[in-house]
Amino acid sequence: MGSIGLKVEQQPEYEEIPAGTYDANVTNSMWAVSHAGNDMVSVEFTLTSGHPGRKIFSHFLLNNSDPKLAETARSKANRLCNAVGIIDWEEPEELLGNLVGIKVGPQSSDP
């Protein structure tokens, strides 16, 4: 096999975004697969206030085998769709370009 030939550059270290509510634009939304192999919708938000340009990601495991987790994901998705005026959400791309207010909370590495 050949060499990849990539010189890896140092990435800037980012400080954690403080908890709060921020304005954001939906800049990416697509079908994805979780580590456990479940279908999910992955949404990327780009902050337009507070820390402009920073990215926040949210994943919606709408068909999770755990009913409680599936209900939590559906509730989050419902709030997002209501915020942008989507009545029948069919495809992830329908979220693109919408401006929303998002709540950012403390980060946790707990499972």
Side-chain angles (χ1 to χ4, degrees):
M1 293 202 157
S3 169
I4 293 174
L6 174 68
K7 180 175 168 66
V8 178
E9 299 176 14
Q10 286 288 86
Q11 296 293 317
E13 289 193 28
Y14 291 104
E15 292 182 22
E16 188 172 298
I17 297 172
T21 302
Y22 300 91
D23 294 328
N25 187 25
V26 179
T27 50
N28 197 2
S29 182
M30 63 185 174
W31 289 109
V33 177
S34 72
H35 292 295
N38 296 313
D39 288 337
M40 67 179 181
V41 175
S42 178
V43 180
E44 174 187 288
F45 301 92
T46 301
L47 298 183
T48 58
S49 69
H51 299 270
R54 293 284 302 271
K55 308 282 186 191
I56 303 289
F57 299 89
S58 189
H59 307 288
F60 299 90
L61 290 156
L62 302 171
N63 297 317
N64 196 302
S65 59
D66 179 329
K68 185 175 179 182
L69 293 177
E71 179 55 35
T72 299
R74 289 184 177 281
S75 178
K76 277 178 45 179
N78 190 57
R79 288 193 308 272
L80 176 58
C81 288
N82 276 317
V84 300
I86 293 175
I87 295 171
D88 292 313
W89 190 25
E90 297 292 330
E91 295 296 329
E93 295 81 10
E94 294 174 55
L95 296 172
L96 293 175
N98 284 292
L99 296 173
V100 294
I102 60 172
K103 289 183 182 178
V104 175
Q107 298 298 307
S108 173
S109 59
D110 294 339

